[in-house]
Amino acid sequence: MTPETRDATGAFFPLATWVQEQLTTAPRQALNNLHHALLKHSGNNLNDDIAAIAIRKTD
C-alpha cells in the first residue's frame, strides 16, 4: 500500500491505519469511506487519479 495523498503540511494519508479501521466494513462502503477520507485529508484537493479495490475474505 502506497499512499500518495498529502495534507496541507505534506503528511501522507495514513492508509495502513485507516485500513485497520475498515476491517468489518462492507467493500463498497469501505471504498466510499476511503474517497471521503482522502477528500478530507487533502482539503478537497485531489489532483490525481485514485485506484482502489476492496475484497472481503470469507472462510
Side-chain angles (χ1 to χ4, degrees), residues 18 22-34 54-56:
W18 181 88
Q22 301 297 313
L23 293 178
T24 60
T25 306
R28 179 72 245 167
Q29 186 61 51
L31 292 173
N32 287 339
N33 293 349
L34 177 59
I55 300 170
R56 173 172 284 169

Side-chain angles (χ1 to χ4, degrees), residues 8-22:
T9 69
F12 285 111
F13 179 74
L15 185 59
T17 301
W18 181 88
V19 166
Q20 291 300 311
E21 297 168 355
Q22 301 297 313

Side-chain angles (χ1 to χ4, degrees), residues 4-8 11-15 18 30-50:
E4 295 179 359
T5 302
R6 296 179 189 237
D7 65 10
F12 285 111
F13 179 74
L15 185 59
W18 181 88
L31 292 173
N32 287 339
N33 293 349
L34 177 59
H35 186 236
H36 290 290
L38 290 171
L39 285 169
K40 182 178 178 182
H41 184 78
S42 69
N44 288 323
N45 189 26
L46 293 177
N47 56 8
D48 202 350
D49 60 333
I50 299 171

